[in-house]
Amino acid sequence: MSAPSAAPGPPLWLLLELTYRCPLHCVFCYNPTDFARTGAELPTADWLRVLGEARALGAVQLGLSGGEPLEREDLETLVAEAHRLGFYINLITSGVGLTAARIGALKRAGLDHIQLSYQDSTRELNDFLSSTRTFDLKAKVAALIRAHEYPMVLNVVLHRLNIDHVGEILDMAERIGAQYVELANTQYYGWAWLNRQGLLPSRAQLERAEAVTQRFRERVGGRIQVYFVVPDYFERRPKACMGGLGSVFLGIAPDGTAMPCHAARMLPDLDLPNVRSADIRSIWYDSAAFNHFRGEAWMKEPCRSCAERTRDFGGCRCQAYLLTGDAANADPVCDLSPHHHLVTGAVASAQAAVPAASGEHVLVFRDHRVSIPVVPAGASPGGAPRGPLR
Amino acid sequence: MNDLPDTARPALPQGLRLQWEPAQEAHVLLYPEGMVKLNGSAGAILSRCDGKATVSEIVADLERAYGAVGLAGDVRAFLAMALEKRWVELRP
């Protein structure tokens, strides 16, 4: 257990995962693969209390996600209270359930921004990847978002099965009037970790996609901002995950579990507090879980003596745990990590030319009827699916 | 800086919001999934970009408020940068 080296600032970024319920079944979802076994969702009153306590500490950016946050019937109530408190409110949604009536009510309640996710530019792959028929619905939702004068922000998760469609995805984004497009390569947590073997693109795929994206940027100029997020596995230095755990980000899971990052509930080192039994101030400043990875005392070599530790904080704790079995190790994405071969090995195995989308790798779809414990590497992620296939 | 006429009226684009945050003791600019913490002068300039005041009027107001003269160069340089970053847009 390490004491923070300096008093932490406020949790500026608050993410409420309002529910794990979701009409989609995405194979790359970062939600825990055992979410079906978590406790009951917080009632409205608890979410309202969390909003007030976090805002009082200085939280100002609010993300509402899930699961699909529109599954919560009290979403408008929560948005109205968050707006009254002065939050900037981002809704992160698949768009399923975003009717004209609801978007109107959310706008009136003070919602600032909607990020709409797409799975692919083609109906076939969009619907296959999410295991739903949602493609046409998304086009309608995009029109509603524009009609309500929200900035049009699209998020498309890229992976082996759709990354070759980047050109078409960007053309589609232009057609529906997107101003911002985030091409977010899959990061391997949750269901994506389970499906890693089937989702990791080849280096050639990645380079083609980046080239296509660059040509698109040159054509559209400043009209559409495109962010291309390279998958960690292709980097040689880790991301400064969350700006350091316990630094700015506070996530609350549907059952009230408070987390220093989206995926932290998988980390065995952390006894995560719950907002049902503790207030946000004590969770953020005093709890053992939020202090555990603050500062540098927890670090091992090569991070501990590395000049870059103040820049990347050793990378992602969850990735270190999943790949090496110890969350305090250096993120193996870093080529200074003695475990870096685990990443290069995974990338190398993805170079083999398997027919894309042919089911060469069996994908496990996110499903509440399936509960799969998180297993670090060595137990063959994605190797042996243990759930029903659709 | 030909694209920043004295008569232009800078305003925050839709979807951006400027507010004072006591916890950070600063003005912050909020936008989709992001935030910029502003220093004192940036906050003072942006809080006057209401789409009604012209660049000249903003300079005059700041000089009045801070009892200073000759702020035009700094204000225009900041607004040019803000324009490039899309923190402001110009209304006719």
Side-chain angles (χ1 to χ4, degrees):
Chain A
M1 193 62 44
S2 63
S5 55
L12 297 175
W13 173 252
L14 176 67
L15 178 72
L16 304 185
E17 294 179 341
L18 296 174
T19 176
Y20 284 134
R21 286 175 285 147
C22 185
L24 273 52
H25 302 275
C26 299
V27 292
F28 49 75
C29 183
Y30 75 82
N31 279 171
T33 49
D34 55 357
F35 74 82
R37 299 238 171 115
T38 58
E41 285 176 17
L42 291 183
T44 308
D46 280 346
W47 288 123
L48 293 173
R49 179 174 54 80
V50 165
L51 286 171
E53 290 175 0
R55 182 69 185 128
L57 287 192
V60 60
Q61 274 286 355
L62 174 66
L64 299 173
S65 79
E68 171 50 65
L70 289 162
E71 294 274 322
R72 288 283 302 211
E73 288 175 7
D74 57 0
L75 184 61
E76 290 81 350
T77 306
L78 301 179
V79 167
E81 175 65 0
H83 179 71
R84 190 187 69 77
L85 291 167
F87 277 106
Y88 190 94
I89 311 161
N90 307 273
L91 179 67
I92 298 154
T93 179
S94 69
V96 179
L98 195 57
T99 59
R102 284 202 89 179
I103 194 172
L106 288 167
K107 181 94 187 180
R108 285 191 297 279
L111 180 67
D112 292 286
H113 163 237
I114 300 172
Q115 185 206 88
L116 179 65
S117 64
Y118 259 81
Q119 278 66 45
D120 194 48
S121 58
T122 68
R123 177 180 289 106
E124 291 72 23
L125 207 47
N126 179 82
D127 293 358
F128 170 74
L129 292 169
S130 59
S131 193
T132 55
R133 289 189 182 165
T134 52
F135 185 77
D136 293 334
L137 179 141
K138 289 197 185 221
K140 284 183 196 139
V141 167
L144 277 177
I145 290 172
R146 273 202 320 276
H148 285 79
E149 299 183 327
Y150 281 112
M152 186 71 217
V153 181
L154 275 192
N155 179 286
V156 185
V157 177
L158 295 183
H159 45 72
R160 185 177 194 95
L161 303 180
N162 68 357
I163 194 167
D164 294 329
H165 303 174
V166 156
E168 290 84 354
I169 287 169
L170 288 169
D171 289 343
M172 176 199 73
E174 185 180 16
R175 235 173 13 251
I176 65 174
Q179 291 152 276
Y180 303 88
V181 184
E182 184 174 307
L183 299 171
N185 274 279
T186 304
Q187 304 285 18
Y188 297 98
Y189 310 103
W191 300 84
W193 168 251
L194 208 60
N195 291 315
R196 188 182 71 172
Q197 208 182 339
L199 296 178
L200 197 61
S202 72
R203 195 171 288 281
Q205 282 185 301
L206 189 64
E207 283 168 3
R208 274 200 305 274
E210 283 185 289
V212 168
T213 302
Q214 193 49 39
R215 279 202 299 279
F216 180 84
R217 285 195 187 113
E218 284 158 15
R219 182 168 69 73
V220 300
R223 203 155 44 84
I224 307 175
Q225 305 276 318
V226 185
Y227 304 95
F228 190 95
V229 184
V230 174
D232 284 6
Y233 278 46
F234 290 82
E235 303 276 20
R236 294 172 57 194
R237 283 293 182 276
K239 62 189 171 222
C241 197
M242 300 291 131
L245 290 195
S247 156
V248 293
F249 178 90
L250 170 63
I252 312 291
D255 63 353
T257 302
M259 309 175 291
C261 87
H262 306 61
R265 66 188 305 163
M266 79 169 87
L267 297 177
D269 309 317
L270 301 184
D271 181 17
L272 295 173
N274 192 294
V275 300
R276 290 181 202 264
S277 52
D279 64 26
I280 298 294
R281 175 178 289 279
S282 69
I283 287 172
W284 181 255
Y285 289 107
D286 305 332
S287 73
F290 276 75
N291 280 303
H292 191 94
F293 288 115
R294 282 186 178 135
E296 297 175 355
W298 58 269
M299 286 182 181
K300 296 185 170 182
E301 293 295 352
C303 296
R304 186 185 279 270
S305 60
C306 181
E308 296 176 41
R309 70 186 185 282
T310 55
R311 200 181 315 154
D312 60 32
F313 317 106
C316 170
R317 297 305 87 227
C318 299
Q319 202 144 261
Y321 172 65
L322 283 174
L323 286 161
T324 75
D326 182 350
N329 277 331
D331 185 339
V333 161
C334 184
D335 67 7
L336 299 171
S337 158
H339 299 100
H340 185 58
H341 66 277
L342 297 171
V343 169
T344 51
V347 169
S349 73
Q351 306 312 305
V354 296
S358 70
E360 174 81 11
H361 299 295
V362 184
L363 297 171
V364 184
F365 288 90
R366 179 195 196 275
D367 195 307
H368 69 279
R369 291 167 302 177
V370 183
S371 182
I372 303 170
V374 178
V375 186
S380 170
R386 283 144 288 183
L389 298 171
R390 288 161 165 265
Chain B
M1 280 183 226
N2 292 333
D3 51 351
L4 193 61
D6 283 331
T7 54
R9 301 169 199 278
L12 265 57
Q14 191 148 40
L16 269 66
R17 199 164 81 216
L18 180 78
Q19 68 189 34
W20 175 260
E21 283 296 298
Q24 301 180 63
E25 295 180 332
H27 275 103
V28 299
L29 191 60
L30 298 159
Y31 52 88
E33 293 168 67
M35 170 170 61
V36 178
K37 182 176 173 179
L38 301 166
N39 65 24
S41 46
I45 298 170
L46 281 181
S47 58
R48 286 166 169 80
C49 294
D50 59 3
K52 294 176 192 129
T54 64
V55 173
S56 305
E57 287 163 352
I58 289 170
V59 171
D61 189 35
L62 285 164
E63 290 179 342
R64 230 178 358 258
Y66 291 90
V69 290
L71 296 184
D74 287 348
V75 172
R76 293 178 59 90
F78 173 80
L79 284 175
M81 185 271 292
L83 203 56
E84 192 169 309
K85 288 183 182 289
R86 295 159 189 265
W87 294 353
V88 295
E89 60 189 23
L90 299 181
R91 308 261 164 89

